[in-house]
């Protein structure tokens, strides 16, 4: 998604068991906990002629400041747009009585990540019934004339 390093990995310079502080960059979307979670875009970094972060609402509007240590700022993840099935076999876990399907989750920012879609037997029955109806109603079903 953001292409940032993963600070929990020793190869990234952080010790195990510690989380690196969040250091927003220009253009990042952040939520400011000191402003009841108000979301803003970072428009000025501390040290660039400013003693604090300067934020502006995504659609424009009045700027506000946040502490230079970013202690009140939290990242705002990109929103999911959709998921697509990956071409892999489904896995049935007999103990948990559920099926796992590999999917690729797509985000607004163009990023994607692999995930597992977990379905119970009831979920599988509903999915089968719904997709069966869709296939039966459309001309592109194999063997049907256009």
């Amino acid at each position: 998604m953001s292409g940032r390093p993963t600070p929990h990995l020793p190869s990234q310079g952080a010790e195990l068991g510690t989380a690196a502080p969040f250091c927003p960059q220009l253009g990042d979307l952040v939520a400011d906990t000191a402003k009841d979670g108000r979301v803003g875009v970072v428009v000025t970094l501390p040290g660039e002629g400013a003693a604090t972060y300067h934020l502006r609402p995504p659609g424009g509007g009045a700027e506000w400041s946040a502490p230079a240590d970013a202690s009140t700022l939290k990242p705002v993840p990109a929103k999911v747009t959709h998921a697509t099935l990956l071409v892999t076999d489904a896995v049935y876990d007999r103990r948990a009585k559920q099926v796992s399907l590999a999917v690729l989750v797509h985000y607004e920012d163009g990023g994607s990540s692999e995930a597992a879609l977990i379905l119970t037997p009831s979920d599988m029955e509903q999915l089968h019934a719904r997709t069966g109806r869709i296939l039966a109603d459309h001309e592109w079903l194999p063997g049907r004339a256009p």
Side-chain angles (χ1 to χ4, degrees):
M1 279 185 347
S2 67
R4 292 205 186 140
T6 49
H8 62 282
L9 298 176
S11 64
Q12 300 290 330
E15 295 179 31
L16 284 177
T18 62
F22 175 54
C23 298
Q25 301 300 309
L26 283 176
D28 281 357
L29 203 57
V30 297
D32 190 349
T33 59
K35 300 282 186 185
D36 294 324
R38 186 174 178 197
V39 174
V41 177
V42 177
V43 294
T44 305
L45 300 174
E48 294 182 0
T52 60
Y53 283 95
H54 289 213
L55 310 169
R56 180 179 298 138
E63 290 185 15
W64 75 95
S65 300
D69 65 359
S71 59
T72 66
L73 302 180
K74 305 291 178 222
V76 175
K79 292 182 181 176
V80 172
T81 59
H82 64 285
T84 54
L85 285 173
L86 291 173
V87 183
T88 60
D89 286 337
V91 177
Y92 182 70
D93 182 339
R94 292 184 192 283
R95 184 182 45 81
K97 296 181 181 171
Q98 60 189 22
V99 172
S100 174
L101 297 170
V103 295
L104 188 63
V105 179
H106 302 268
Y107 301 96
E108 274 183 332
D109 65 3
S112 61
S113 62
E114 290 186 25
L117 175 62
I118 306 298
L119 302 167
T120 64
S122 176
D123 295 333
M124 289 292 292
E125 288 174 359
Q126 288 181 34
L127 182 61
H128 182 268
R130 291 176 184 178
T131 55
R133 280 194 301 272
I134 292 168
L135 289 171
D137 290 343
H138 287 80
E139 295 175 358
W140 44 264
L141 206 142
R144 277 196 146 174

